[in-house]
Amino acid sequence: MKPAISGSAHETWRTSPGTEQVDDARLGAMTASGCVLVQPLVDAIASHGEWSIVFIGEVYSHAVLKRPRSGDFRVQIEHGGTFEPMRPPDAVIVQALEMLRAAPAERDAMLYARVDGCVVDERLLLMELELIEPVLFLGTSPGAADRMADALLARVG
């Protein structure tokens, strides 16, 4: 469970059978203040991590693999998660690009995107498609900031 608009897993929590009464009150408070997303917990996040794959335009730039701390499901640093620069397998990059291209967005207006997902049965399972994401891990890949600046300058120049 998480707010539809949030960052760094703010107010993100797990629910399960047997905790309905406590969870109902918490969910009621969340829905009273805004929209809520319900996502299944994907065990592959704990065992294999979650990819953040960054595209500038529709061109692969770089990626990081995020992992939760032991015993948690959240991959964000604020919750003890870690990340490391890593290139996903080519098939995963292709799948992420297919997901990006399936988004209902104006292609010329899209400067960048971050495709977050985890691999389950050799397929990238989309967790989030970030089109206005402030965290692009530009410092993790040599040249990533330059690629972003060049793309931005090409738009305004």
Side-chain angles (χ1 to χ4, degrees):
M1 309 294 262
K2 65 184 185 179
I5 300 174
S6 139
S8 300
H10 175 72
E11 294 293 323
T12 298
W13 51 282
R14 292 176 62 175
T15 185
S16 61
T19 61
E20 301 90 13
Q21 290 184 336
V22 173
D23 293 345
D24 280 348
R26 191 172 184 184
L27 179 59
M30 283 181 75
T31 57
S33 64
C35 294
V36 174
L37 297 178
V38 178
Q39 289 180 314
L41 181 64
V42 179
D43 292 331
I45 293 173
S47 59
H48 294 93
E50 177 182 320
W51 288 102
S52 282
I53 304 167
V54 179
F55 292 88
I56 298 177
E58 290 186 12
V59 177
Y60 169 78
S61 175
H62 60 282
V64 298
L65 184 60
K66 303 177 294 187
R67 296 182 188 277
R69 75 170 183 220
S70 179
D72 203 340
F73 65 97
R74 297 167 297 182
V75 296
Q76 293 77 12
I77 293 172
E78 295 84 352
H79 301 285
T82 61
F83 68 88
E84 63 180 306
M86 192 176 292
R87 182 180 173 88
D90 289 342
V92 170
I93 295 171
V94 168
Q95 291 167 33
L97 182 58
E98 289 170 356
M99 292 170 182
L100 175 61
R101 288 182 173 158
E106 295 180 37
R107 295 287 169 248
D108 0 339
M110 191 181 304
L111 177 62
Y112 65 86
R114 194 180 91 193
V115 179
D116 287 354
C118 56
V119 176
V120 176
D121 296 328
E122 299 182 29
R123 294 283 307 157
L124 183 64
L125 176 63
L126 181 66
M127 302 302 287
E128 295 179 325
L129 179 58
E130 305 281 6
L131 302 177
I132 55 171
E133 175 61 42
V135 180
L136 297 175
F137 303 100
L138 294 174
T140 66
S141 174
D146 291 335
R147 289 189 293 275
M148 178 63 88
D150 290 345
L152 185 56
L153 288 172
R155 299 271 171 115
V156 297

